[in-house]
Amino acid sequence: MGMESKFIWMNGEMVPFEKATLHFLTPALHYGAAVFEGIRAYDTPKGSAVFRLKEHIERLLDSAHIFGFRDNPLTLEQVMTAVKDTVRANGLKDCYIRPLIYLDGGGWNLTVDAGKPSLAIAVWDWGNYLGEEARAKGIRANISSFTRHHPNVMMTKAKISGNYANSFLAKTESVRLGFDEAIMLDPQGFVAECTGENLFVVRHGKIITPSTAPVLEGITRHSIHTIAQDLGYRILEQPISRDQLYIADEVFVCGTAAECIGLSEIDFRKIGEGKTGPVTRKIQDVYHEAIRGKVKKYEGWCDHVG
Ligand SMILES: Cc1ncc(COP(=O)(O)O)c(C=O)c1O
């Protein structure tokens, strides 16, 4: 995967890509003591724009607050500006954006206060995370043997780097078994989310998604919710059982990296017609227009890089 770019923003400076390195003893590397965001910028008719930048940076700062960082390196406005500066400096129109606030020194006694947080921002050209064919064909998933976070074990509203060990366990297992993605159940046994996406079920014309208590408050989930409602669908937040997935008319997942992708098969059971269903397709099409600034009512979601 080509993740190269010209510059990585580190503590206020545009550092050349090859020089953007950290010491082996950075505590974030050893303990996952960092919080991050996954954002995308898209080429729109008015130039490159970051999709829902404010919401992503608010969540980044919320993640830092949840983890216990007391002194954020920058304010909301400063981080938003730094993100746009980084996209512009790299001359990329469509790109993935990865800000990370990490414990940079200190912290070997496992306390946040013993270290200091630093911010870095990388951008790179990244196609669909689940593969270019996923949008056309849908993907195959299984129910992971690993349980998603209990909300008092890992903080489910925060993108804490250490949280993603759980995603690594699940996704590695599913891919080794020949699936594209893992669906994870919450500690009560209800459907939670995938390793990096929220999940929706379509049945009898209604759309159902798990409540946000045990899962990440996905920003794509929110965009999809708005789009689906504007298309006239009723959306319910309620517990979903494993077998409700099997008998769904459609199941789809969404996230910044994956965008909006239908599931063709779960646990070797065909979902609906075994391809991206009509409701998913409608929502997916509007989403793809919206992220590229082509839907008037959602233009406010696009923050132009300038
Ligand atoms: C565990 C998890 N759930 C859901 C999502 C989707 O969130 P978003 O739509 O904000 O990218 C992500 C990706 O950030 C994630 O890591």
Side-chain angles (χ1 to χ4, degrees), residues 21-66:
T21 55
L22 293 173
H23 197 276
F24 169 65
L25 291 177
T26 305
L29 177 64
H30 297 257
Y31 302 118
V35 298
F36 69 93
E37 263 308 313
I39 315 173
R40 277 187 188 275
Y42 294 94
D43 197 10
T44 76
K46 294 181 190 157
S48 181
V50 184
F51 192 66
R52 308 204 68 176
L53 176 60
K54 182 162 180 277
E55 290 84 347
H56 278 284
I57 304 306
E58 279 171 349
R59 191 173 64 187
L60 177 72
L61 299 180
D62 283 349
S63 292
H65 176 69
I66 291 170

mmCIF file of all heavy atoms in Angstrom, residues 21-66:
data_model
loop_
_atom_site.group_PDB
_atom_site.id
_atom_site.type_symbol
_atom_site.label_atom_id
_atom_site.label_comp_id
_atom_site.label_asym_id
_atom_site.label_seq_id
_atom_site.Cartn_x
_atom_site.Cartn_y
_atom_site.Cartn_z
ATOM 1 N N THR A 21 9.867 10.478 11.830
ATOM 2 C CA THR A 21 10.077 9.253 12.611
ATOM 3 C C THR A 21 10.033 9.568 14.109
ATOM 4 O O THR A 21 10.246 10.695 14.521
ATOM 5 C CB THR A 21 11.447 8.635 12.277
ATOM 6 O OG1 THR A 21 12.444 9.633 12.480
ATOM 7 C CG2 THR A 21 11.505 8.161 10.828
ATOM 8 N N LEU A 22 9.773 8.509 14.902
ATOM 9 C CA LEU A 22 9.739 8.659 16.360
ATOM 10 C C LEU A 22 10.710 7.668 16.978
ATOM 11 O O LEU A 22 11.086 6.668 16.352
ATOM 12 C CB LEU A 22 8.331 8.350 16.887
ATOM 13 C CG LEU A 22 7.217 9.315 16.486
ATOM 14 C CD1 LEU A 22 5.871 8.759 16.945
ATOM 15 C CD2 LEU A 22 7.458 10.681 17.100
ATOM 16 N N HIS A 23 11.093 7.926 18.225
ATOM 17 C CA HIS A 23 12.019 7.038 18.926
ATOM 18 C C HIS A 23 11.344 5.719 19.307
ATOM 19 O O HIS A 23 10.142 5.688 19.588
ATOM 20 C CB HIS A 23 12.537 7.740 20.184
ATOM 21 C CG HIS A 23 13.765 7.096 20.724
ATOM 22 N ND1 HIS A 23 13.730 6.010 21.561
ATOM 23 C CD2 HIS A 23 15.076 7.354 20.492
ATOM 24 C CE1 HIS A 23 14.969 5.635 21.852
ATOM 25 N NE2 HIS A 23 15.803 6.434 21.211
ATOM 26 N N PHE A 24 12.140 4.650 19.333
ATOM 27 C CA PHE A 24 11.641 3.325 19.722
ATOM 28 C C PHE A 24 10.964 3.344 21.098
ATOM 29 O O PHE A 24 10.024 2.595 21.352
ATOM 30 C CB PHE A 24 12.811 2.325 19.723
ATOM 31 C CG PHE A 24 12.474 1.000 20.357
ATOM 32 C CD1 PHE A 24 11.532 0.153 19.792
ATOM 33 C CD2 PHE A 24 13.091 0.601 21.542
ATOM 34 C CE1 PHE A 24 11.210 -1.065 20.385
ATOM 35 C CE2 PHE A 24 12.768 -0.611 22.144
ATOM 36 C CZ PHE A 24 11.829 -1.438 21.557
ATOM 37 N N LEU A 25 11.428 4.205 21.991
ATOM 38 C CA LEU A 25 10.877 4.222 23.347
ATOM 39 C C LEU A 25 9.668 5.163 23.508
ATOM 40 O O LEU A 25 9.273 5.465 24.629
ATOM 41 C CB LEU A 25 11.976 4.584 24.360
ATOM 42 C CG LEU A 25 13.039 3.495 24.516
ATOM 43 C CD1 LEU A 25 14.141 3.933 25.475
ATOM 44 C CD2 LEU A 25 12.436 2.181 25.014
ATOM 45 N N THR A 26 9.080 5.577 22.413
ATOM 46 C CA THR A 26 7.853 6.380 22.507
ATOM 47 C C THR A 26 6.767 5.505 23.155
ATOM 48 O O THR A 26 6.444 4.437 22.621
ATOM 49 C CB THR A 26 7.396 6.827 21.100
ATOM 50 O OG1 THR A 26 8.474 7.515 20.480
ATOM 51 C CG2 THR A 26 6.178 7.725 21.171
ATOM 52 N N PRO A 27 6.224 5.913 24.315
ATOM 53 C CA PRO A 27 5.286 5.019 25.018
ATOM 54 C C PRO A 27 4.045 4.645 24.196
ATOM 55 O O PRO A 27 3.490 3.555 24.374
ATOM 56 C CB PRO A 27 4.902 5.804 26.273
ATOM 57 C CG PRO A 27 5.442 7.171 26.093
ATOM 58 C CD PRO A 27 6.503 7.142 25.064
ATOM 59 N N ALA A 28 3.637 5.520 23.294
ATOM 60 C CA ALA A 28 2.468 5.212 22.464
ATOM 61 C C ALA A 28 2.667 3.902 21.709
ATOM 62 O O ALA A 28 1.724 3.126 21.515
ATOM 63 C CB ALA A 28 2.211 6.347 21.484
ATOM 64 N N LEU A 29 3.894 3.623 21.304
ATOM 65 C CA LEU A 29 4.183 2.405 20.540
ATOM 66 C C LEU A 29 4.052 1.155 21.418
ATOM 67 O O LEU A 29 3.586 0.111 20.974
ATOM 68 C CB LEU A 29 5.601 2.506 19.957
ATOM 69 C CG LEU A 29 6.118 1.308 19.178
ATOM 70 C CD1 LEU A 29 5.285 1.082 17.913
ATOM 71 C CD2 LEU A 29 7.575 1.523 18.803
ATOM 72 N N HIS A 30 4.443 1.280 22.679
ATOM 73 C CA HIS A 30 4.462 0.113 23.569
ATOM 74 C C HIS A 30 3.105 -0.195 24.181
ATOM 75 O O HIS A 30 2.791 -1.348 24.458
ATOM 76 C CB HIS A 30 5.503 0.332 24.671
ATOM 77 C CG HIS A 30 6.888 0.439 24.124
ATOM 78 N ND1 HIS A 30 7.807 -0.585 24.179
ATOM 79 C CD2 HIS A 30 7.488 1.444 23.447
ATOM 80 C CE1 HIS A 30 8.921 -0.207 23.576
ATOM 81 N NE2 HIS A 30 8.768 1.029 23.119
ATOM 82 N N TYR A 31 2.300 0.838 24.416
ATOM 83 C CA TYR A 31 1.037 0.639 25.149
ATOM 84 C C TYR A 31 -0.206 1.096 24.394
ATOM 85 O O TYR A 31 -1.288 1.128 24.978
ATOM 86 C CB TYR A 31 1.112 1.369 26.510
ATOM 87 C CG TYR A 31 2.267 0.888 27.356
ATOM 88 C CD1 TYR A 31 3.293 1.746 27.726
ATOM 89 C CD2 TYR A 31 2.345 -0.453 27.758
ATOM 90 C CE1 TYR A 31 4.358 1.292 28.483
ATOM 91 C CE2 TYR A 31 3.413 -0.910 28.514
ATOM 92 C CZ TYR A 31 4.426 -0.031 28.874
ATOM 93 O OH TYR A 31 5.472 -0.488 29.612
ATOM 94 N N GLY A 32 -0.060 1.485 23.155
ATOM 95 C CA GLY A 32 -1.235 1.971 22.414
ATOM 96 C C GLY A 32 -1.796 3.248 23.017
ATOM 97 O O GLY A 32 -2.992 3.530 22.905
ATOM 98 N N ALA A 33 -0.913 4.017 23.687
ATOM 99 C CA ALA A 33 -1.357 5.231 24.390
ATOM 100 C C ALA A 33 -1.446 6.395 23.411
ATOM 101 O O ALA A 33 -0.591 7.289 23.400
ATOM 102 C CB ALA A 33 -0.404 5.544 25.540
ATOM 103 N N ALA A 34 -2.461 6.369 22.596
ATOM 104 C CA ALA A 34 -2.659 7.386 21.569
ATOM 105 C C ALA A 34 -4.128 7.360 21.167
ATOM 106 O O ALA A 34 -4.829 6.369 21.420
ATOM 107 C CB ALA A 34 -1.778 7.083 20.363
ATOM 108 N N VAL A 35 -4.585 8.444 20.589
ATOM 109 C CA VAL A 35 -5.943 8.487 20.027
ATOM 110 C C VAL A 35 -5.839 9.030 18.609
ATOM 111 O O VAL A 35 -4.937 9.803 18.309
ATOM 112 C CB VAL A 35 -6.898 9.367 20.873
ATOM 113 C CG1 VAL A 35 -7.049 8.809 22.275
ATOM 114 C CG2 VAL A 35 -6.444 10.816 20.923
ATOM 115 N N PHE A 36 -6.753 8.585 17.750
ATOM 116 C CA PHE A 36 -6.594 8.976 16.355
ATOM 117 C C PHE A 36 -7.938 9.209 15.681
ATOM 118 O O PHE A 36 -8.994 8.916 16.234
ATOM 119 C CB PHE A 36 -5.775 7.922 15.600
ATOM 120 C CG PHE A 36 -6.483 6.602 15.398
ATOM 121 C CD1 PHE A 36 -7.202 6.354 14.229
ATOM 122 C CD2 PHE A 36 -6.445 5.599 16.368
ATOM 123 C CE1 PHE A 36 -7.856 5.144 14.026
ATOM 124 C CE2 PHE A 36 -7.093 4.388 16.176
ATOM 125 C CZ PHE A 36 -7.797 4.156 14.997
ATOM 126 N N GLU A 37 -7.874 9.718 14.466
ATOM 127 C CA GLU A 37 -9.054 9.857 13.617
ATOM 128 C C GLU A 37 -8.755 9.286 12.241
ATOM 129 O O GLU A 37 -7.586 9.197 11.823
ATOM 130 C CB GLU A 37 -9.456 11.332 13.461
ATOM 131 C CG GLU A 37 -10.547 11.770 14.402
ATOM 132 C CD GLU A 37 -11.777 10.880 14.372
ATOM 133 O OE1 GLU A 37 -12.280 10.541 13.276
ATOM 134 O OE2 GLU A 37 -12.254 10.488 15.447
ATOM 135 N N GLY A 38 -9.797 8.909 11.533
ATOM 136 C CA GLY A 38 -9.702 8.512 10.130
ATOM 137 C C GLY A 38 -10.654 9.408 9.365
ATOM 138 O O GLY A 38 -11.860 9.404 9.640
ATOM 139 N N ILE A 39 -10.126 10.216 8.468
ATOM 140 C CA ILE A 39 -10.916 11.245 7.770
ATOM 141 C C ILE A 39 -10.625 11.097 6.273
ATOM 142 O O ILE A 39 -9.567 10.569 5.896
ATOM 143 C CB ILE A 39 -10.490 12.661 8.255
ATOM 144 C CG1 ILE A 39 -10.356 12.703 9.782
ATOM 145 C CG2 ILE A 39 -11.434 13.739 7.767
ATOM 146 C CD1 ILE A 39 -9.773 14.003 10.343
ATOM 147 N N ARG A 40 -11.529 11.570 5.443
ATOM 148 C CA ARG A 40 -11.217 11.596 4.002
ATOM 149 C C ARG A 40 -11.477 12.982 3.425
ATOM 150 O O ARG A 40 -12.417 13.656 3.834
ATOM 151 C CB ARG A 40 -12.064 10.582 3.225
ATOM 152 C CG ARG A 40 -11.522 9.159 3.238
ATOM 153 C CD ARG A 40 -12.340 8.286 2.316
ATOM 154 N NE ARG A 40 -12.003 6.880 2.407
ATOM 155 C CZ ARG A 40 -11.016 6.287 1.741
ATOM 156 N NH1 ARG A 40 -10.248 6.982 0.925
ATOM 157 N NH2 ARG A 40 -10.792 4.990 1.882
ATOM 158 N N ALA A 41 -10.655 13.331 2.452
ATOM 159 C CA ALA A 41 -10.927 14.510 1.635
ATOM 160 C C ALA A 41 -11.253 14.004 0.234
ATOM 161 O O ALA A 41 -10.724 12.970 -0.204
ATOM 162 C CB ALA A 41 -9.709 15.424 1.588
ATOM 163 N N TYR A 42 -12.166 14.721 -0.432
ATOM 164 C CA TYR A 42 -12.571 14.321 -1.782
ATOM 165 C C TYR A 42 -12.471 15.520 -2.715
ATOM 166 O O TYR A 42 -12.638 16.672 -2.292
ATOM 167 C CB TYR A 42 -14.015 13.820 -1.780
ATOM 168 C CG TYR A 42 -14.232 12.551 -1.000
ATOM 169 C CD1 TYR A 42 -14.635 12.586 0.336
ATOM 170 C CD2 TYR A 42 -14.041 11.301 -1.587
ATOM 171 C CE1 TYR A 42 -14.842 11.412 1.061
ATOM 172 C CE2 TYR A 42 -14.248 10.130 -0.872
ATOM 173 C CZ TYR A 42 -14.647 10.190 0.453
ATOM 174 O OH TYR A 42 -14.852 9.031 1.159
ATOM 175 N N ASP A 43 -12.260 15.208 -3.974
ATOM 176 C CA ASP A 43 -12.256 16.241 -4.995
ATOM 177 C C ASP A 43 -13.717 16.604 -5.285
ATOM 178 O O ASP A 43 -14.523 15.713 -5.582
ATOM 179 C CB ASP A 43 -11.568 15.684 -6.253
ATOM 180 C CG ASP A 43 -11.164 16.795 -7.194
ATOM 181 O OD1 ASP A 43 -11.244 17.969 -6.795
ATOM 182 O OD2 ASP A 43 -10.757 16.469 -8.333
ATOM 183 N N THR A 44 -14.056 17.865 -5.133
ATOM 184 C CA THR A 44 -15.428 18.319 -5.396
ATOM 185 C C THR A 44 -15.386 19.335 -6.540
ATOM 186 O O THR A 44 -14.305 19.790 -6.919
ATOM 187 C CB THR A 44 -16.040 19.006 -4.144
ATOM 188 O OG1 THR A 44 -15.469 20.322 -4.027
ATOM 189 C CG2 THR A 44 -15.791 18.231 -2.862
ATOM 190 N N PRO A 45 -16.556 19.734 -7.064
ATOM 191 C CA PRO A 45 -16.548 20.740 -8.140
ATOM 192 C C PRO A 45 -15.864 22.046 -7.714
ATOM 193 O O PRO A 45 -15.400 22.802 -8.548
ATOM 194 C CB PRO A 45 -18.039 20.966 -8.422
ATOM 195 C CG PRO A 45 -18.716 19.720 -7.946
ATOM 196 C CD PRO A 45 -17.913 19.228 -6.785
ATOM 197 N N LYS A 46 -15.784 22.298 -6.409
ATOM 198 C CA LYS A 46 -15.122 23.532 -5.934
ATOM 199 C C LYS A 46 -13.737 23.246 -5.373
ATOM 200 O O LYS A 46 -13.226 24.009 -4.551
ATOM 201 C CB LYS A 46 -15.988 24.195 -4.863
ATOM 202 C CG LYS A 46 -17.323 24.713 -5.397
ATOM 203 C CD LYS A 46 -18.123 25.378 -4.287
ATOM 204 C CE LYS A 46 -19.536 25.671 -4.736
ATOM 205 N NZ LYS A 46 -20.455 25.797 -3.603
ATOM 206 N N GLY A 47 -13.134 22.135 -5.750
ATOM 207 C CA GLY A 47 -11.792 21.776 -5.261
ATOM 208 C C GLY A 47 -11.861 20.798 -4.099
ATOM 209 O O GLY A 47 -12.953 20.390 -3.674
ATOM 210 N N SER A 48 -10.693 20.453 -3.585
ATOM 211 C CA SER A 48 -10.619 19.442 -2.537
ATOM 212 C C SER A 48 -11.339 19.901 -1.262
ATOM 213 O O SER A 48 -11.197 21.043 -0.836
ATOM 214 C CB SER A 48 -9.146 19.151 -2.230
ATOM 215 O OG SER A 48 -9.065 18.172 -1.244
ATOM 216 N N ALA A 49 -12.112 18.992 -0.673
ATOM 217 C CA ALA A 49 -12.835 19.327 0.564
ATOM 218 C C ALA A 49 -12.754 18.150 1.529
ATOM 219 O O ALA A 49 -12.867 17.000 1.128
ATOM 220 C CB ALA A 49 -14.295 19.645 0.249
ATOM 221 N N VAL A 50 -12.555 18.469 2.799
ATOM 222 C CA VAL A 50 -12.515 17.427 3.832
ATOM 223 C C VAL A 50 -13.949 17.162 4.276
ATOM 224 O O VAL A 50 -14.699 18.101 4.579
ATOM 225 C CB VAL A 50 -11.649 17.859 5.027
ATOM 226 C CG1 VAL A 50 -11.542 16.724 6.034
ATOM 227 C CG2 VAL A 50 -10.262 18.303 4.564
ATOM 228 N N PHE A 51 -14.329 15.899 4.296
ATOM 229 C CA PHE A 51 -15.704 15.538 4.629
ATOM 230 C C PHE A 51 -15.906 15.504 6.143
ATOM 231 O O PHE A 51 -15.213 14.776 6.849
ATOM 232 C CB PHE A 51 -16.050 14.181 4.000
ATOM 233 C CG PHE A 51 -17.531 13.868 4.059
ATOM 234 C CD1 PHE A 51 -18.446 14.621 3.356
ATOM 235 C CD2 PHE A 51 -17.993 12.812 4.831
ATOM 236 C CE1 PHE A 51 -19.810 14.348 3.411
ATOM 237 C CE2 PHE A 51 -19.355 12.522 4.887
ATOM 238 C CZ PHE A 51 -20.265 13.293 4.176
ATOM 239 N N ARG A 52 -16.832 16.349 6.608
ATOM 240 C CA ARG A 52 -17.220 16.422 8.021
ATOM 241 C C ARG A 52 -16.008 16.601 8.958
ATOM 242 O O ARG A 52 -15.905 15.942 9.997
ATOM 243 C CB ARG A 52 -18.085 15.212 8.382
ATOM 244 C CG ARG A 52 -19.265 15.052 7.404
ATOM 245 C CD ARG A 52 -20.424 14.308 7.971
ATOM 246 N NE ARG A 52 -21.073 15.079 9.013
ATOM 247 C CZ ARG A 52 -22.187 14.706 9.642
ATOM 248 N NH1 ARG A 52 -22.777 13.583 9.303
ATOM 249 N NH2 ARG A 52 -22.719 15.433 10.584
ATOM 250 N N LEU A 53 -15.139 17.506 8.541
ATOM 251 C CA LEU A 53 -13.900 17.758 9.294
ATOM 252 C C LEU A 53 -14.166 18.121 10.753
ATOM 253 O O LEU A 53 -13.531 17.589 11.659
ATOM 254 C CB LEU A 53 -13.098 18.871 8.595
ATOM 255 C CG LEU A 53 -11.822 19.323 9.308
ATOM 256 C CD1 LEU A 53 -10.838 18.170 9.471
ATOM 257 C CD2 LEU A 53 -11.147 20.465 8.534
ATOM 258 N N LYS A 54 -15.111 19.035 10.970
ATOM 259 C CA LYS A 54 -15.357 19.501 12.341
ATOM 260 C C LYS A 54 -15.757 18.339 13.251
ATOM 261 O O LYS A 54 -15.231 18.184 14.353
ATOM 262 C CB LYS A 54 -16.447 20.575 12.317
ATOM 263 C CG LYS A 54 -16.764 21.176 13.667
ATOM 264 C CD LYS A 54 -17.501 22.501 13.500
ATOM 265 C CE LYS A 54 -17.832 23.146 14.817
ATOM 266 N NZ LYS A 54 -19.066 22.601 15.392
ATOM 267 N N GLU A 55 -16.663 17.491 12.750
ATOM 268 C CA GLU A 55 -17.132 16.362 13.567
ATOM 269 C C GLU A 55 -15.971 15.405 13.879
ATOM 270 O O GLU A 55 -15.878 14.848 14.976
ATOM 271 C CB GLU A 55 -18.250 15.591 12.851
ATOM 272 C CG GLU A 55 -19.571 16.331 12.751
ATOM 273 C CD GLU A 55 -19.664 17.299 11.564
ATOM 274 O OE1 GLU A 55 -18.630 17.599 10.928
ATOM 275 O OE2 GLU A 55 -20.784 17.766 11.276
ATOM 276 N N HIS A 56 -15.093 15.199 12.892
ATOM 277 C CA HIS A 56 -13.952 14.296 13.129
ATOM 278 C C HIS A 56 -12.991 14.867 14.170
ATOM 279 O O HIS A 56 -12.489 14.135 15.028
ATOM 280 C CB HIS A 56 -13.201 14.027 11.817
ATOM 281 C CG HIS A 56 -13.841 12.968 10.978
ATOM 282 N ND1 HIS A 56 -13.746 11.623 11.268
ATOM 283 C CD2 HIS A 56 -14.599 13.051 9.860
ATOM 284 C CE1 HIS A 56 -14.406 10.920 10.355
ATOM 285 N NE2 HIS A 56 -14.943 11.769 9.488
ATOM 286 N N ILE A 57 -12.726 16.176 14.089
ATOM 287 C CA ILE A 57 -11.768 16.748 15.046
ATOM 288 C C ILE A 57 -12.405 16.859 16.435
ATOM 289 O O ILE A 57 -11.740 16.651 17.449
ATOM 290 C CB ILE A 57 -11.204 18.105 14.545
ATOM 291 C CG1 ILE A 57 -10.570 17.910 13.157
ATOM 292 C CG2 ILE A 57 -10.182 18.663 15.532
ATOM 293 C CD1 ILE A 57 -9.515 16.821 13.058
ATOM 294 N N GLU A 58 -13.715 17.107 16.462
ATOM 295 C CA GLU A 58 -14.395 17.085 17.771
ATOM 296 C C GLU A 58 -14.250 15.697 18.402
ATOM 297 O O GLU A 58 -13.978 15.565 19.590
ATOM 298 C CB GLU A 58 -15.889 17.419 17.608
ATOM 299 C CG GLU A 58 -16.148 18.900 17.498
ATOM 300 C CD GLU A 58 -17.581 19.265 17.121
ATOM 301 O OE1 GLU A 58 -18.363 18.365 16.726
ATOM 302 O OE2 GLU A 58 -17.907 20.448 17.191
ATOM 303 N N ARG A 59 -14.418 14.650 17.571
ATOM 304 C CA ARG A 59 -14.290 13.292 18.113
ATOM 305 C C ARG A 59 -12.850 13.002 18.535
ATOM 306 O O ARG A 59 -12.615 12.311 19.531
ATOM 307 C CB ARG A 59 -14.804 12.257 17.101
ATOM 308 C CG ARG A 59 -14.930 10.863 17.713
ATOM 309 C CD ARG A 59 -15.599 9.868 16.791
ATOM 310 N NE ARG A 59 -14.830 9.625 15.585
ATOM 311 C CZ ARG A 59 -15.231 8.904 14.561
ATOM 312 N NH1 ARG A 59 -16.439 8.341 14.592
ATOM 313 N NH2 ARG A 59 -14.481 8.724 13.507
ATOM 314 N N LEU A 60 -11.880 13.530 17.774
ATOM 315 C CA LEU A 60 -10.468 13.336 18.157
ATOM 316 C C LEU A 60 -10.213 13.933 19.544
ATOM 317 O O LEU A 60 -9.595 13.289 20.408
ATOM 318 C CB LEU A 60 -9.556 14.010 17.119
ATOM 319 C CG LEU A 60 -8.058 13.962 17.425
ATOM 320 C CD1 LEU A 60 -7.513 12.544 17.240
ATOM 321 C CD2 LEU A 60 -7.274 14.937 16.547
ATOM 322 N N LEU A 61 -10.711 15.141 19.749
ATOM 323 C CA LEU A 61 -10.482 15.804 21.035
ATOM 324 C C LEU A 61 -11.288 15.118 22.141
ATOM 325 O O LEU A 61 -10.835 15.017 23.280
ATOM 326 C CB LEU A 61 -10.808 17.300 20.934
ATOM 327 C CG LEU A 61 -9.936 18.066 19.908
ATOM 328 C CD1 LEU A 61 -10.318 19.536 19.875
ATOM 329 C CD2 LEU A 61 -8.441 17.911 20.174
ATOM 330 N N ASP A 62 -12.472 14.611 21.790
ATOM 331 C CA ASP A 62 -13.250 13.826 22.765
ATOM 332 C C ASP A 62 -12.487 12.547 23.146
ATOM 333 O O ASP A 62 -12.463 12.146 24.308
ATOM 334 C CB ASP A 62 -14.620 13.435 22.189
ATOM 335 C CG ASP A 62 -15.610 14.603 22.209
ATOM 336 O OD1 ASP A 62 -15.315 15.635 22.842
ATOM 337 O OD2 ASP A 62 -16.680 14.469 21.570
ATOM 338 N N SER A 63 -11.900 11.899 22.148
ATOM 339 C CA SER A 63 -11.125 10.676 22.418
ATOM 340 C C SER A 63 -9.983 10.985 23.382
ATOM 341 O O SER A 63 -9.724 10.229 24.326
ATOM 342 C CB SER A 63 -10.534 10.099 21.133
ATOM 343 O OG SER A 63 -11.536 9.593 20.277
ATOM 344 N N ALA A 64 -9.300 12.121 23.141
ATOM 345 C CA ALA A 64 -8.178 12.514 24.003
ATOM 346 C C ALA A 64 -8.683 12.766 25.429
ATOM 347 O O ALA A 64 -8.060 12.342 26.416
ATOM 348 C CB ALA A 64 -7.509 13.769 23.446
ATOM 349 N N HIS A 65 -9.831 13.417 25.519
ATOM 350 C CA HIS A 65 -10.437 13.711 26.824
ATOM 351 C C HIS A 65 -10.818 12.407 27.539
ATOM 352 O O HIS A 65 -10.563 12.233 28.730
ATOM 353 C CB HIS A 65 -11.673 14.590 26.570
ATOM 354 C CG HIS A 65 -12.472 14.900 27.779
ATOM 355 N ND1 HIS A 65 -12.031 15.715 28.789
ATOM 356 C CD2 HIS A 65 -13.723 14.503 28.143
ATOM 357 C CE1 HIS A 65 -12.955 15.798 29.711
ATOM 358 N NE2 HIS A 65 -13.995 15.073 29.353
ATOM 359 N N ILE A 66 -11.420 11.481 26.798
ATOM 360 C CA ILE A 66 -11.830 10.195 27.391
ATOM 361 C C ILE A 66 -10.595 9.425 27.872
ATOM 362 O O ILE A 66 -10.576 8.862 28.963
ATOM 363 C CB ILE A 66 -12.635 9.358 26.364
ATOM 364 C CG1 ILE A 66 -13.994 10.004 26.085
ATOM 365 C CG2 ILE A 66 -12.815 7.918 26.863
ATOM 366 C CD1 ILE A 66 -14.765 9.396 24.912
#
